[in-house]
Amino acid sequence: MPTRREVIDRIRRAIAPLYEPREAEQIARRFVFERCGITLTQYAVAPEAQADIPDLEESVRQLAAGRPVQYVLAHTEFCGMTFEVGEGVLIPRPETEELVAAAAAGAVAGAAALDVGTGSGCIAVSLARLIPDARVTAVDLSPQALAVARRNAVRLGAEVRFVQADALTGLHELPDAAFDLIVSNPPYVPQSDRAAMHVNVRDYEPPEALFVPDDDPLRFYRAIGRAARRLLRPDGRLWFEIYERLADETARLLADEGFGDIAVRRDINDKPRILCCTARK
């Protein structure tokens, strides 16, 4: 049986053509630490301990083909919680944690929140856990994503109402003035950027959760913004994760839709990625 160090080295070599050396090392360590149930400290103490990983051969094959380590492990971390993920569900990013933290910090106890495009349920579940007595509704078009989101909510003890609806055309089914805040990380990457994206994103994550047409890249912001004018209570807040290259255009679109107090915040990577605004009634 190989040692922990040997498995890490093997994975690192297998994925070296796909990743920078530091990222390859991080992916290899993450896989081994999680499959062996150990911490970095435990590994440092005993790197030559045997690594009993029954599915090792198949996992190495998948990682070498570019499958994201989160899908291989079938989960990822978000806001201090472990979320199930898999094909058909977008992998939550650290930037989205910043969006959730900002939205939750500005909400009052008992707030009614709507998550549009819930995917794994990471935003909805986190809001339900972070805002005391929150009443959270989550919308997604994909039955597969909703099934994963429901499982995450149950396992993490979050009360969330899930609704299948299209963010572009289906939000009219929700009641008027029902929400204090709306949070969304909608698709925003232009199709022309697809070829330049890493294989682990381009070939594995759901394209419908990532890409938008080049000729209308703000289509989700427009649709959600218009719906939010009806769905938000007076002075309700709308929070978006946005495409950094279209930050100014997104802000102008929401101003044209009648929102005020528009502010764009920079994320941990110093990119304009979080937008918040207020519904004017």
Side-chain angles (χ1 to χ4, degrees), residues 93-271:
R93 267 64 171 182
E95 307 92 278
T96 309
E97 293 188 61
E98 298 182 66
L99 170 69
V100 170
V108 298
L114 173 65
D115 170 23
V116 181
T118 196
S120 66
C122 63
I123 291 177
V125 169
S126 298
L127 290 174
R129 293 286 300 271
L130 290 170
I131 302 171
D133 302 317
R135 291 165 291 134
V136 181
T137 300
V139 169
D140 204 288
L141 179 61
S142 165
Q144 182 178 359
L146 286 170
V148 172
R150 287 190 179 98
R151 290 197 295 270
N152 280 323
V154 170
R155 185 172 47 79
L156 293 167
E159 291 190 15
V160 180
R161 172 182 173 240
F162 292 99
V163 177
Q164 184 177 5
D166 188 339
L168 293 175
T169 61
L171 298 181
H172 64 276
E173 299 176 6
L174 298 172
D176 293 356
F179 301 100
D180 299 295
L181 68 154
I182 296 174
V183 185
S184 182
N185 176 23
Y188 57 68
V189 181
Q191 281 285 352
S192 56
D193 286 0
R194 185 170 186 165
M197 297 186 76
H198 197 281
V199 63
N200 67 344
V201 176
R202 185 186 65 237
D203 293 353
Y204 289 92
E205 296 197 60
E208 64 274 12
L210 287 166
F211 301 108
V212 287
D214 287 351
D215 61 355
D216 190 14
L218 300 181
R219 63 191 310 196
F220 282 93
Y221 298 98
R222 185 183 305 108
I224 296 170
R226 287 177 178 173
R229 288 295 312 278
R230 177 181 62 81
L231 296 172
L232 283 170
R233 293 171 180 158
D235 296 322
R237 300 285 280 171
L238 175 60
W239 292 85
F240 278 127
E241 183 172 324
I242 62 175
Y243 190 43
E244 68 269 19
R245 298 181 189 175
L246 296 175
D248 292 341
E249 292 87 341
T250 308
R252 283 196 296 269
L253 181 151
L254 291 166
D256 291 343
E257 291 295 333
F259 287 88
D261 302 324
I262 299 171
V264 175
R265 305 184 184 190
R266 292 186 173 271
D267 66 9
I268 194 171
N269 298 311
D270 198 33
K271 295 180 180 180

